């Protein structure tokens, strides 16, 4: 699988409202990716943080030679390069999207 495909896998999103010190916050996570989670009072901010964490974790796993889980087929209609650049992660994926995920191990 190419890096682009790994980044296009639709993972289940779990969302909860959690009370912290008498205030409510939102916790979002991708349970299929282990500890990838984000919390914020604003759900949109939490989602952006979660997406940064997802891309970072997928790339970390590929570079470690431990591919992320593939519980369902990658989406064909996403532009993960644009999304990563929009999230400030362009340097992390630059020149990597069309490489085989297995080629990243040891980089």
């Amino acid at each position: 699988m190419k890096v682009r495909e790994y980044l296009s896998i639709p993972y289940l999103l779990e969302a909860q409202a959690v009370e912290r010190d008498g205030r409510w916050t939102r916790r979002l996570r991708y349970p299929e990716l282990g500890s990838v989670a984000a919390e914020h009072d604003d759900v949109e901010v939490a989602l952006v943080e979660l997406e940064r964490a997802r891309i970072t974790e997928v790339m970390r796993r590929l570079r470690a030679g431990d591919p992320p889980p593939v519980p369902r087929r990658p989406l064909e209609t996403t532009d993960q390069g644009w999304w990563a650049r929009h999230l400030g992660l362009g340097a992390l994926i630059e020149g990597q999207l069309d490489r085989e995920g297995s080629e990243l191990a040891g980089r």
Side-chain angles (χ1 to χ4, degrees):
M1 274 181 79
K2 296 196 180 298
V3 171
R4 176 183 313 279
E5 293 168 310
Y6 278 110
L7 292 172
S8 298
I9 295 167
Y11 292 105
L12 294 178
L13 174 65
E14 181 181 277
Q16 295 177 302
V18 181
E19 188 175 7
R20 296 252 189 261
D21 301 321
R23 294 185 54 192
W24 288 93
T25 188
R26 282 72 175 162
R27 177 188 304 150
L28 304 179
R29 68 186 209 106
Y30 287 123
E32 295 166 322
L33 282 176
S35 63
V36 175
E39 283 189 21
H40 199 278
D41 294 344
D42 184 330
V43 70
E44 291 178 13
V45 172
L47 184 57
V48 167
E49 290 175 7
L50 181 68
E51 285 300 291
R52 280 190 190 108
R54 177 188 62 84
I55 291 170
T56 301
E57 177 66 6
V58 168
M59 294 302 289
R60 184 198 67 76
R61 286 182 178 215
L62 291 173
R63 288 191 170 124
D66 178 27
V70 183
R72 54 204 61 79
R73 293 176 38 164
L75 298 173
E76 296 179 10
T77 57
T78 65
D79 185 347
Q80 292 299 305
W82 177 89
W83 188 228
R85 287 186 294 278
H86 177 73
L87 295 172
L89 299 173
L92 183 63
I93 56 94
E94 190 65 40
Q96 307 301 315
L97 292 175
D98 293 316
R99 295 185 65 192
E100 291 295 323
S102 59
E103 293 177 5
L104 296 188
R107 291 191 90 222

